Amino acid sequence: MYIDFIKANYSDKMEADQQEYIERDKKHLGRIIQDRITEDIEKIVERWYALDDIGFIEEEGIFANLLKEAEELYSFGYYVGAISLIGVASRTM
């Protein structure tokens, strides 16, 4: 089961208060993300450092962007996403 409650619906609040609640929630979400990265920073750095250098890619098109994003996904531990993006990138060549 997957339940997603990242954003709250503040339609029951006065319009003037809605943005204040949203900004509060964004700050809280930012702290959650920072905590996750802080807790995993050593693994992130190790995964990133373990990647082989790609060297120079002359093309600045979609392939290079997809490859860069795949590296980031892998480094942050999102292996399925990284593999999927590598597959897409290889088809654009």
Side-chain angles (χ1 to χ4, degrees):
M1 178 184 296
Y2 178 74
I3 301 173
D4 182 355
F5 286 111
I6 291 176
K7 294 186 284 183
N9 180 350
Y10 293 113
S11 59
D12 62 328
K13 306 291 183 199
M14 294 182 59
E15 225 175 288
D17 296 332
Q18 287 179 1
Q19 194 59 37
E20 189 175 320
Y21 281 101
I22 290 169
E23 291 305 315
R24 179 202 63 188
D25 291 352
K26 286 180 179 180
K27 285 180 184 178
H28 180 68
L29 182 57
R31 284 191 297 272
I32 290 170
I33 294 167
Q34 284 178 326
D35 289 347
R36 181 178 179 267
I37 292 170
T38 299
E39 290 171 8
D40 204 26
I41 193 69
E42 290 178 15
K43 291 177 184 173
I44 293 169
V45 170
E46 286 299 320
R47 286 189 292 261
W48 213 311
Y49 197 78
L51 291 171
D52 290 334
D53 290 337
I54 294 172
F56 178 74
I57 299 175
E58 192 169 322
E59 176 187 330
E60 288 196 28
I62 187 116
F63 175 75
N65 292 336
L66 291 172
L67 197 55
K68 185 189 301 185
E69 189 170 335
E71 286 181 324
E72 291 178 13
L73 285 168
Y74 173 82
S75 298
F76 280 84
Y78 300 110
Y79 306 118
V80 174
I83 292 167
S84 298
L85 224 62
I86 291 167
V88 171
S90 67
R91 290 187 184 139
T92 65
M93 293 183 67

